[in-house]
Amino acid sequence: MKVARLHEYGGPDVLVYEDAPKPEPAAGEVLIKVESASVNFADVVRRKNDPYPAPSPLPFIPGSEIAGVVEALGEGVTTIPVGTKVFASLENGGAGGYAQYAVAKVGKVIPLPEGLTPDQACSLVVAGMTALQTLTDCAQLQPGETVLVQAAGGGVGTYAVQLAKLLGAGKVIAAASTPAKRELALKLGADAAIDYTQPDWAKEVRELTGGKGVDVVLEATGGDILTQSIQAMGPFGRIVVFGVSSGERKPVNPYTMLGLNQSLITYYVGGWFQWRPQQAVAALLKLIGFIKSGKINVQIGHVLPLSKAAEAHHILAARASAGKIILKPWP
């Protein structure tokens, strides 16, 4: 089979399109012929060998989310017939998806809901659930509250803007790095859009909230943006951190947040499935319902062949994608 794999850590061009043995499903596993593979920022982190909750041993095939058709069943698997259209999250914190075939634990394989395309389905877990759970299970968003969505033009951000409005946010402020992404966020329902690459953006957020500051921040950039995001919060504000795309891991001083009773919360989707699976599944089903009913539109920014995996990572690095990037393994 064809894969996009790395034999060394580094920039996007370490991803090599090459042949690899077709995997065999072990007991309790399912072999899936991959139709769509989602590109997530976690793939970039692991390609660079930056700190990540799961190891990335070389040679390494990135990719945590796939959609496709069940090709074969491992011993003991009886619940999903061969030929079933499915989407799945992969093991080892999400690895093996940039391939024509991948294996997944049967418990992480879900029949493709009617009305969803494979491209949409393979964005549900990392991007969609992150957006939904950071707003609900983590930040406990209340109707009428103000939400700041960082990286609002990305995979998580485009979900989060729509979900925040759907969940009753009083005002959604989208922060994005390009005019096109800010325009997209406004089309998706944001009440205002700002450029968070500008030095005074936190002041602009405060002006948009009448000087009070926002109630909820979704943040995955890190570094100075994290510090400024905390400064943009009001009393009892909650900031949910789910990544560090800048690579800048500057410390946060919690004592600066004491006076305003502010909270910093972290989120990692894999941990929810591992330790609170019932809540994770409930969030996933809720998200699927929103999409099937037309209340949420999945934003696909680029669809590329698997052979262009390195290009997909270049697009991410350049912040040039609005919405999800999908890889297609079959010509």
Side-chain angles (χ1 to χ4, degrees):
M1 67 171 182
K2 291 293 187 182
V3 301
R5 182 165 59 177
L6 51 125
H7 297 270
E8 60 180 318
Y9 305 114
D13 294 328
V14 300
L15 281 165
V16 180
Y17 183 64
E18 61 185 5
D19 292 310
K22 181 179 176 180
E24 296 287 339
E29 292 183 337
V30 171
L31 177 67
I32 299 170
K33 182 178 180 181
V34 181
E35 181 173 336
S36 303
S38 178
V39 177
N40 294 299
F41 196 80
D43 305 337
V44 174
V45 172
R46 303 182 80 171
R47 187 202 74 221
K48 296 162 64 177
N49 200 30
D50 287 343
Y52 191 74
S56 307
L58 297 174
F60 183 73
I61 301 172
S64 59
E65 294 179 282
I66 60 171
V69 179
V70 174
E71 178 89 359
L73 307 176
E75 182 181 351
V77 178
T78 59
T79 55
I80 301 180
V82 170
T84 304
K85 294 181 180 181
V86 297
F87 69 99
S89 297
L90 304 181
E91 292 301 297
N92 186 26
Y98 291 13
Q100 290 182 324
Y101 294 92
V103 292
K105 295 288 188 184
V106 66
K108 293 187 176 182
V109 179
I110 301 172
L112 189 70
E114 186 177 350
L116 264 67
T117 68
D119 289 0
Q120 292 174 322
C122 72
S123 78
L124 289 173
V125 175
V126 174
M129 282 188 59
T130 295
L132 180 57
Q133 287 200 286
T134 51
L135 287 166
T136 56
D137 293 310
C138 295
Q140 298 289 317
L141 176 66
Q142 300 300 307
E145 289 190 317
T146 303
V147 179
L148 170 63
V149 179
Q150 296 284 12
V156 176
T158 51
Y159 268 112
V161 167
Q162 298 176 79
L163 285 165
K165 294 299 290 187
L166 183 60
L167 295 168
K171 178 177 285 186
V172 176
I173 302 171
S177 58
T178 68
K181 291 183 178 182
R182 294 192 290 275
E183 181 63 28
L184 173 61
L186 292 170
K187 288 180 180 178
L188 292 175
D191 299 285
I194 65 166
D195 182 356
Y196 70 110
T197 66
Q198 297 300 311
D200 59 348
W201 70 264
K203 178 182 177 182
E204 187 177 355
V205 169
R206 285 202 163 271
E207 291 172 351
L208 288 168
T209 59
K212 173 181 176 289
V214 294
D215 299 297
V216 173
V217 182
L218 305 189
E219 211 292 298
T221 305
D224 290 336
I225 301 299
L226 172 57
T227 302
Q228 292 165 318
S229 293
I230 293 173
Q231 294 168 353
M233 286 196 300
F236 293 92
R238 291 90 72 200
I239 182 167
V240 187
V241 175
F242 58 93
V244 58
S245 63
S246 69
E248 298 179 20
R249 291 172 171 81
K250 292 186 177 180
V252 173
N253 181 0
Y255 300 104
T256 63
M257 305 169 68
L258 279 176
L260 295 177
N261 290 286
Q262 296 168 334
S263 303
L264 188 150
I265 308 158
T266 59
Y267 177 86
Y268 171 57
V269 65
W272 280 83
F273 276 107
Q274 182 175 356
W275 294 302
R276 295 190 177 181
Q278 289 183 325
Q279 280 180 266
V281 171
L284 179 59
L285 294 176
K286 187 174 185 178
L287 179 66
I288 291 171
F290 286 154
I291 295 171
K292 290 181 66 174
S293 67
K295 295 177 180 178
I296 296 294
N297 294 311
V298 181
Q299 299 298 304
I300 306 296
H302 290 78
V303 178
L304 299 171
L306 181 62
S307 59
K308 301 291 186 181
E311 181 180 334
H313 280 228
H314 276 293
I315 291 170
L316 271 182
R319 300 178 178 179
S321 177
K324 290 295 299 179
I325 301 176
I326 304 296
L327 295 176
K328 307 295 278 188
W330 296 93

